[in-house]
């Protein structure tokens, strides 16, 4: 693109840059389609009305703002596409950041309006946490060069690139000291400030149109705007580079270890599991039992589990759907059902160990806080109860949570389960006391009965819908406590009661059923044959 001889012809950023021109500037820059007129130094002759003066002032302001906006747009395009500018900016950011890391400081020097810009940039750098100071070239020549150390970096701000004060200063700066120059030149060697300096870095700040041509005066206007903008960009980039820690670096990924499958899916907290399964060293190979409690939408699962190297072994288990054998057919996931499941698994475990007669627990639940203690056997010797630890998994252990209904049931069954009363319904955090009546109400389904009565009074239609199965079995609010009382007695009488409706299958039938969901391993010959069959099918298609 060649420059037209007419002063008011169309201007483009790359072709109208202030001398010296940079051959590496991008050519795809936005054109200034409107001619840029010269600004009059004196108002036009004749009478000047107030309205005319306002219009002229607004036109002048718009012209200045649009001219400087175009200059900033050209500068942004330069640092986006030009190799020299991009390389210089990256090197400057890296050099200043390295200076900060090593305990050095950034020294900025400039004269005149460039000195004012330098002081502004010093304030910006210091507010970003980058140690920066201003050095006046004249005062440096008279003894202030003592603040320059080998670990520091010097930044020179000059639009022309040949300010006499800075040129005189360069003769006293060691060649090894890193120099960054913010000037309109296109290469470090084209400026006398950075010539013959191997560690010099250039930050070009060219203008699309000279200030004299844009405004009719040579006052520093667009050049100062461009320089300040580039200085702000440099400060923010250095702050991000110097104080942003890269957590996941290449070293992190080289040491990365894939988490366990159940950790990835969010099913197991292995830190907590390690504490639950770790046995004391002086107990050797003694099993450590855990009461694992899990809730689903329609069922409650309770298992007494012990951990071995080969995996977890289930000692015994109980489910809320088994409560149908004891007369409970509704509300199989509420608090009262959880207590029944805990009572069931506790009595099963003691019966399996032969301790069901020695440790009877609480035969009639009254809501009082009790912990199973040691009992005497037939010989008069003290015997410790069966012990297990509550494992709630990832469930929240808030006060009144259903997981503690199983814990209360297991404790009342005669199993030693370490716990306290702070998480049971009815515990008052202010008085630090447990209301046993409230806890008893939950054990016998009193909260369900209260809700049934209130719903029947307030919304009969909703009551008919929500408690339809209760109504079909002629179970009302008054009969719920009796229902759970009879279930508790039935569980204590026979905790291993079989399901009369269960279909009885032989061991061979169960094994045959399991083969439906099992993928058999193929031999090498079978795999090769399968590959050939696939190839044949593809060719035929």
């Amino acid at each position: 693109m060649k420059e037209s001889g007419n002063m008011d012809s169309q201007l483009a950023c790359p072709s109208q840059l202030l001398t010296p021109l940079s051959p590496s500037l991008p050519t795809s820059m936005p054109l200034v389609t409107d001619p840029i007129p010269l600004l009059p130094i004196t108002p036009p002759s004749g009478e000047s009305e107030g309205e005319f003066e306002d219009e002229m002032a607004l036109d002048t302001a718009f012209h200045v703002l649009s001219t400087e906006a175009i200059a900033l747009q050209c500068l942004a395009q330069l640092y986006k596409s030009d190799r020299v500018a991009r390389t210089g900016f990256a090197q400057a950011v890296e050099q200043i950041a390295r200076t900060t890391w090593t305990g050095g400081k950034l020294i900025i020097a400039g004269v005149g309006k460039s000195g004012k810009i330098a002081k502004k940039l010093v304030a910006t750098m210091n507010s970003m946490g980058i140690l920066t100071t201003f050095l006046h070239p004249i005062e440096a020549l008279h003894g202030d060069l003592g603040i320059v150390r080998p670990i520091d970096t010097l930044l020179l701000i000059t639009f022309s690139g040949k300010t006499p004060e800075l040129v005189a200063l360069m003769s006293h700066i060691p060649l090894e000291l890193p120099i960054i120059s913010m000037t309109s030149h296109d290469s470090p060697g084209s400026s006398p400030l950075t010539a013959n300096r191997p560690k010099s870095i250039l930050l070009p700040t060219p203008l699309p149109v000279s200030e004299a041509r844009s405004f009719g005066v040579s006052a520093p206007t667009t050049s100062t705007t461009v320089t300040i903008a580039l200085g702000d960009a440099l400060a923010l980039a250095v702050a991000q580079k110097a104080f942003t820690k890269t957590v996941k670096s290449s070293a992190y990924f080289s040491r990365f270890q894939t988490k366990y499958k159940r950790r990835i899916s969010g099913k197991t907290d292995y830190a907590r599991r390690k504490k639950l399964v770790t046995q004391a060293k002086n107990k050797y190979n003694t099993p450590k039992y855990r009461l694992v409690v899990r809730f689903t939408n329609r069922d409650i699962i309770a298992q007494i589990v012990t951990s071995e190297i080969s995996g977890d072994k289930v000692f015994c288990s109980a489910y809320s759907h088994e409560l149908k054998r004891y007369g409970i057919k509704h509300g199989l996931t509420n608090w009262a059902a959880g207590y029944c499941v805990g009572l069931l698994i506790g009595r099963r475990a003691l019966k399996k160990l032969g301790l069901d007669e020695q440790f009877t627990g609480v035969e009639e639940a009254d809501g009082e806080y009790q912990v199973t203690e040691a009992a005497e056997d037939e010989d008069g010797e003290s015997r410790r109860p069966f012990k297990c630890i509550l494992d709630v998994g990832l469930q929240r252990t808030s006060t009144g949570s259903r997981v503690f209904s199983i814990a209360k049931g297991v404790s009342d069954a005669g199993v030693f389960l370490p716990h306290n009363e702070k998480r049971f319904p009815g515990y008052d955090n202010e008085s630090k006391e447990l209301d046993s009546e409230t806890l008893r109400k939950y054990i016998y389904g009193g909260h369900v009965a209260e809700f049934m009565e209130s719903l029947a009074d307030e919304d009969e239609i909703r009551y008919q819908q929500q408690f339809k199965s209760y109504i079909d079995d002629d179970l009302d609010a008054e009969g719920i406590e009796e229902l759970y009382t009879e279930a508790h007695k039935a569980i204590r009488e026979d905790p291993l009661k079989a399901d009369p409706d269960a279909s009885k299958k032989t061991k061979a039938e169960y094994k045959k059923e399991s083969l439906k969901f099992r993928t058999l391993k193929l031999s090498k010959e079978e795999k090769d044959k399968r590959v050939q069959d696939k190839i044949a099918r593809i060719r035929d298609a």
Side-chain angles (χ1 to χ4, degrees):
M1 184 184 296
K2 296 183 179 180
E3 183 178 357
S4 174
N6 187 3
M7 292 291 291
D8 295 334
S9 62
Q10 293 183 348
L11 301 177
C13 293
S15 62
Q16 302 297 335
L17 292 174
L18 184 63
T19 307
L21 297 175
S22 174
S24 59
L25 286 175
T27 58
S28 58
M29 300 292 288
L31 293 176
V32 183
T33 56
D34 297 332
I36 303 177
L38 296 176
L39 292 178
I41 302 301
T42 58
S45 60
E47 296 182 356
S48 299
E49 299 293 336
E51 183 178 354
F52 177 77
E53 292 179 355
D54 293 342
E55 289 294 333
M56 185 175 65
L58 290 174
D59 291 341
T60 302
F62 176 77
H63 174 72
V64 173
L65 293 175
S66 60
T67 302
E68 294 190 356
I70 293 172
L72 291 175
Q73 188 177 3
C74 293
L75 183 70
Q77 186 67 23
L78 173 70
Y79 279 87
K80 183 179 180 180
S81 57
D82 182 65
R83 183 182 59 83
V84 174
R86 291 171 61 87
T87 303
F89 191 84
Q91 291 177 350
V93 171
E94 180 67 27
Q95 178 59 44
I96 299 174
R98 190 183 299 112
T99 300
T100 303
W101 294 335
T102 57
K105 62 181 178 295
L106 175 64
I107 302 173
I108 306 179
V111 180
K113 300 299 184 292
S114 297
K116 303 293 185 182
I117 298 173
K119 292 180 180 179
K120 186 269 176 190
L121 186 55
V122 167
T124 303
M125 289 284 187
N126 285 326
S127 65
M128 293 291 180
I130 304 165
L131 182 60
T132 311
T133 185
F134 174 73
L135 177 64
H136 196 285
I138 300 300
E139 294 178 354
L141 294 173
H142 288 79
D144 282 2
L145 273 177
I147 67 171
V148 180
R149 299 175 299 171
I151 60 175
D152 296 336
T153 299
L154 182 61
L155 171 61
L156 305 177
I157 299 179
T158 168
F159 185 76
S160 64
K162 50 186 179 181
T163 304
E165 293 85 353
L166 294 178
V167 173
L169 178 64
M170 285 298 97
S171 60
H172 301 279
I173 301 298
L175 293 176
E176 296 79 14
L177 190 73
I179 302 294
I180 303 173
S181 61
M182 196 177 292
T183 176
S184 61
H185 289 259
D186 61 334
S187 64
S190 62
S191 173
L193 293 177
T194 56
N196 301 322
R197 284 189 171 271
K199 290 189 176 182
S200 62
I201 301 171
L202 175 67
L203 294 178
T205 56
L207 296 181
V209 181
S210 68
E211 293 162 324
R213 183 179 178 184
S214 298
F215 309 124
V217 291
S218 298
T221 50
T222 310
S223 60
T224 57
T225 302
V226 169
T227 306
I228 290 175
L230 184 61
D232 292 341
L234 182 65
L236 291 170
V238 171
Q240 185 178 19
K241 174 82 173 178
F243 305 117
T244 302
K245 181 180 179 182
T246 303
V247 178
K248 294 185 177 181
S249 59
S250 59
Y252 167 83
F253 287 106
S254 65
R255 300 191 305 269
F256 180 78
Q257 294 182 352
T258 305
K259 304 293 189 296
Y260 291 142
K261 180 179 179 180
R262 292 184 62 86
R263 172 62 183 85
I264 295 175
S265 59
K267 294 180 179 179
T268 301
D269 184 350
Y270 281 96
R272 183 181 298 177
R273 174 181 168 82
K274 183 179 179 181
K275 294 180 180 179
L276 287 172
V277 303
T278 303
Q279 181 63 287
K281 292 183 178 180
N282 60 351
K283 294 185 179 180
Y284 304 103
N285 202 27
T286 305
K288 187 176 183 180
Y289 294 98
R290 309 190 327 268
L291 174 62
V292 180
V293 180
R294 301 293 184 267
F295 282 79
T296 66
N297 290 337
R298 296 186 178 182
D299 206 358
I300 301 174
I301 305 169
Q303 297 175 333
I304 295 179
V305 180
T306 180
S307 297
E308 298 179 2
I309 294 178
S310 58
D312 284 0
K313 306 295 182 182
V314 179
F315 177 68
C316 69
S317 62
Y319 304 86
S320 63
H321 65 259
E322 297 182 70
L323 298 179
K324 296 178 182 179
R325 308 173 192 176
Y326 302 97
I328 302 175
K329 300 179 181 179
H330 314 288
L332 299 180
T333 57
N334 59 27
W335 219 94
Y339 178 86
C340 292
V341 173
L343 185 64
L344 180 60
I345 191 174
R347 297 308 298 173
R348 277 185 182 176
L350 293 177
K351 192 170 186 64
K352 188 173 182 179
L353 295 170
L355 301 174
D356 54 327
E357 296 182 359
Q358 196 169 359
F359 295 93
T360 58
V362 181
E363 296 186 1
E364 185 175 351
D366 53 3
E368 295 289 343
Y369 170 68
Q370 296 184 17
V371 178
T372 305
E373 298 178 351
E376 293 184 358
D377 56 11
E378 298 177 354
D379 300 333
E381 296 181 358
S382 177
R383 182 165 186 176
R384 291 179 296 177
F386 175 70
K387 178 184 176 181
C388 60
I389 302 172
L390 182 62
D391 182 353
V392 299
L394 301 179
Q395 300 175 79
R396 290 186 177 181
T397 54
S398 56
T399 302
S401 176
R402 292 179 298 170
V403 295
F404 299 111
S405 63
I406 288 90
K408 179 60 176 173
V410 170
S411 180
D412 288 355
V415 176
F416 175 49
L417 184 77
H419 69 286
N420 56 43
E421 72 277 14
K422 292 183 178 180
R423 292 303 179 188
F424 289 145
Y427 181 79
D428 188 0
N429 197 29
E430 294 181 358
S431 62
K432 309 296 182 182
E433 293 181 356
L434 175 66
D435 185 3
S436 59
E437 289 297 327
T438 302
L439 181 55
R440 184 186 182 282
K441 181 180 70 174
Y442 274 80
I443 292 174
Y444 288 100
H447 60 300
V448 179
E450 288 182 359
F451 180 66
M452 290 178 68
E453 292 176 349
S454 63
L455 192 62
D457 295 338
E458 297 172 2
D459 192 345
E460 182 67 24
I461 297 176
R462 186 182 170 192
Y463 170 75
Q464 296 288 341
Q465 293 176 346
Q466 189 158 347
F467 292 98
K468 183 178 183 302
S469 59
Y470 286 74
I471 297 172
D472 293 342
D473 290 346
D474 296 329
L475 182 62
D476 55 6
E478 296 178 356
I480 287 183
E481 182 175 348
E482 183 180 355
L483 173 69
Y484 285 106
T485 303
E486 295 297 328
H488 296 171
K489 292 180 181 179
I491 290 172
R492 286 183 172 276
E493 289 176 2
D494 186 8
L496 299 174
K497 187 176 182 179
D499 187 1
D501 299 331
S503 59
K504 297 183 179 180
K505 295 181 180 180
T506 62
K507 189 175 181 179
E509 290 175 334
Y510 277 114
K511 187 174 182 180
K512 184 178 180 181
E513 190 76 17
S514 65
L515 292 177
K516 293 181 181 179
F517 310 99
R518 186 175 174 185
T519 304
L520 298 178
K521 188 176 181 180
L522 301 178
S523 63
K524 186 177 184 304
E525 292 77 12
E526 292 174 333
K527 292 179 180 178
D528 293 340
K529 185 178 181 304
R530 184 177 61 176
V531 172
Q532 295 301 326
D533 293 341
K534 288 183 179 180
I535 294 174
R537 286 197 301 271
I538 294 172
R539 288 177 177 174
D540 295 340

